[in-house]
Amino acid sequence: MKTKTLPRRRTLVAFAMLVPAALAVRSVRAQAAAGGVQLFKVVSSRDEVIVGADAALLGAGSGPAVERLATQLAAKGQLTLWQYASSKDAGGALVQVPLRQIVVFKNDALRIEPYATPLPIKPLK
């Protein structure tokens, strides 16, 4: 009896491990479809905000986008970025949309990390 139960459990565990990977791939595809806009979470001592950056802002390079954004912030001291938020489009579907432009100062930013979302991302205004 135990031999039949063990393969089922392994299959269930393997499936459970694949679900987060599938969601991550879906969110990366959604970001790629947004015309090159990638989302990041900027964490400061006061709050955290989701921002979008396009390929022009990230600059050329083969490194991860989060490292290129951090390099730009360190070099310039501040960056003007678009804050993103979830909203409903005309059809009622949830999407990530640019909300307003904000300035991020390198002194205030404690951490920048990639932000994955399953929602479609609208391009920058």
Side-chain angles (χ1 to χ4, degrees), residues 34 37 52 54 82-84 97-101 122-125:
V37 175
D54 59 3
W82 280 94
Q83 180 180 358
Y84 269 72
V97 296
L99 186 61
R100 64 181 151 257
Q101 283 189 310
K122 295 292 181 182
L124 299 172
K125 296 179 182 178

Side-chain angles (χ1 to χ4, degrees), residues 8-34:
R8 288 182 188 162
R9 286 184 185 165
R10 285 184 183 166
T11 303
L12 189 58
V13 169
F15 179 73
M17 293 174 70
L18 289 175
V19 170
L23 291 175
V25 168
R26 182 178 173 196
S27 67
V28 169
R29 286 184 183 157
Q31 287 194 18

Side-chain angles (χ1 to χ4, degrees), residues 70-110:
T71 301
Q72 291 288 341
L73 182 58
K76 295 181 179 179
Q78 69 183 39
L79 290 175
T80 302
L81 301 168
W82 280 94
Q83 180 180 358
Y84 269 72
S86 58
S87 180
K88 291 188 178 184
D89 65 3
L94 280 175
V95 293
Q96 290 283 349
V97 296
L99 186 61
R100 64 181 151 257
Q101 283 189 310
I102 62 169
V103 177
V104 177
F105 297 95
K106 81 174 183 181
N107 295 349
D108 290 339
L110 296 177

